[in-house]
Amino acid sequence: MRTSHGYEPRHTEICQKSSPEIGKKILASAFELQNPHRHNIHQNFHSEDFIMALDSLHKLYVDELKDLYSAENQLTKALPKMAKKASAQELKNAFTEHLGVTRNQISRLETIFEKLGVSPKGKKCKAMEGLVEEGSEIIGEDGDPSVIDAALIGAAQRVEHYEMAGYGVVRTFAKLLGYEEAATLLQETLDEEGEANKALTDLAETVINVAAAEAPEDDDDEDDDEDDEAEVDEDEDEDEDEIDVEENEPKQKVGTPAKRIANAKKQSTKR
């Protein structure tokens, strides 16, 4: 016979006759013996709970939309900084224009979430966080303005390619799930991202990269090479000095110890 907690009566009786601490340990041991797989059950519960969170295409669709919503909001904070860092006016204009496009894309996402009856918040896009961080590193760099602009375009195109992949995925999900209106809105955004990427490519090939290729080489590299050569010459001079010292050192007397002793006796006898 067991109690409602699964313990046998003798366990409870022993606990009543023991101190509270000992009683707890006895009950814990009894529960461990009766439920040897309780840890695995606990772990499996959490594992299944995590898997069940994405147990349908609809849930995956919503999760991906939240990821994009976070990405776009992060981008609205990064684009003004990139526009400020850019030197070429054409690149400044491209970043500023895409900021307005991005805000419209956020409005589209909010419309989709409203139709779904779901909040767009609750997830942070770590991929965009990393891309924005890379862009921030470029913004903090010093160097030739045209080369910095080329680096900024590279960072911006990485963002565009990430967004194109993301919007392509959710557009396809929306079609499969029968969300035709959402699919149309997402296709509009996908087209805009493609146009932005093409515009950056054209700008890079006709203006920015051309100017970067004509940027003068940094004189610091030549100075470093000269310093390295000077260090090599100094090392060679030190090696030659060591050789001269060795040649000028007095030569030790040649002969075995026995011969040197015999010669010393002869000299003392002559005296």
Side-chain angles (χ1 to χ4, degrees):
M1 179 180 177
R2 294 174 181 265
T3 64
S4 59
H5 298 289
Y7 307 134
E8 295 184 7
R10 66 175 181 276
H11 296 144
T12 306
E13 183 180 353
I14 294 172
C15 292
Q16 291 174 350
K17 294 180 180 179
S18 306
S19 66
E21 292 299 325
I22 295 175
K24 289 179 182 179
K25 291 181 180 179
I26 293 172
L27 287 174
S29 299
F31 183 74
E32 180 71 30
L33 290 171
Q34 295 168 8
N35 300 275
H37 303 296
R38 83 184 198 284
H39 292 296
N40 294 334
I41 293 171
H42 183 69
Q43 292 173 355
N44 290 338
F45 171 76
H46 284 288
S47 177
E48 290 173 4
D49 187 50
F50 176 78
I51 294 172
M52 289 295 287
L54 295 176
D55 62 348
S56 69
L57 186 61
H58 173 79
K59 289 183 179 179
L60 178 59
Y61 170 65
V62 172
D63 188 72
E64 293 289 341
L65 286 173
K66 288 186 175 184
D67 190 78
L68 287 167
Y69 185 78
S70 170
E72 296 290 18
N73 277 283
Q74 291 183 57
L75 190 56
T76 58
K77 298 176 182 178
L79 282 170
K81 298 176 183 177
M82 296 175 75
K84 184 178 180 181
K85 181 66 175 180
S87 298
Q89 189 60 46
E90 299 93 333
L91 187 57
K92 285 180 177 290
N93 294 341
F95 288 148
T96 302
E97 180 182 347
H98 195 64
L99 177 60
V101 172
T102 301
R103 286 172 177 159
N104 288 335
Q105 292 170 351
I106 291 174
S107 296
R108 288 194 196 112
L109 288 172
E110 288 173 344
T111 298
I112 294 172
F113 278 111
E114 186 177 355
K115 293 285 185 180
L116 292 171
V118 178
S119 171
K121 300 179 180 180
K123 184 175 183 180
K124 185 170 186 179
C125 179
K126 294 182 180 179
M128 182 60 75
E129 185 179 21
L131 291 169
V132 169
E133 179 62 28
E134 285 188 354
S136 298
E137 290 177 0
I138 296 171
I139 292 172
E141 291 286 349
D142 294 325
D144 185 272
S146 59
V147 177
I148 296 295
D149 283 353
L152 287 171
I153 285 186
Q157 288 196 289
R158 290 188 189 92
V159 170
E160 294 303 330
H161 281 269
Y162 175 76
E163 290 187 315
M164 285 190 290
Y167 279 107
V169 168
V170 291
R171 182 275 322 271
T172 301
F173 288 169
K175 285 184 176 181
L176 290 170
L177 293 167
Y179 302 139
E180 295 299 333
E181 184 180 350
T184 300
L185 293 175
L186 294 169
Q187 183 63 54
E188 289 179 17
T189 298
L190 182 58
D191 292 340
E192 288 173 349
E193 299 296 359
E195 291 170 3
N197 182 65
K198 186 178 183 302
L200 288 172
T201 298
D202 293 341
L203 185 59
E205 292 178 346
T206 58
V207 180
I208 306 301
N209 290 355
V210 175
E214 296 174 354
E217 293 290 337
D218 193 353
D219 293 336
D220 292 340
D221 294 338
E222 296 179 2
D223 294 339
D224 292 339
D225 293 339
E226 292 177 358
D227 293 339
D228 292 340
E229 291 176 0
E231 290 178 1
V232 171
D233 292 338
E234 290 178 1
D235 292 339
E236 291 177 353
D237 292 339
E238 290 177 359
D239 293 340
E240 291 176 358
D241 293 339
E242 290 177 0
I243 293 172
D244 292 340
V245 170
E246 292 177 357
E247 291 178 350
N248 295 329
E249 285 182 355
K251 295 181 180 180
Q252 295 181 353
K253 295 180 180 180
V254 181
T256 62
K259 287 184 178 180
R260 289 198 296 271
I261 293 171
N263 291 333
K265 286 182 179 181
K266 288 179 180 179
Q267 290 176 1
S268 62
T269 304
K270 290 179 181 179
R271 290 176 184 174

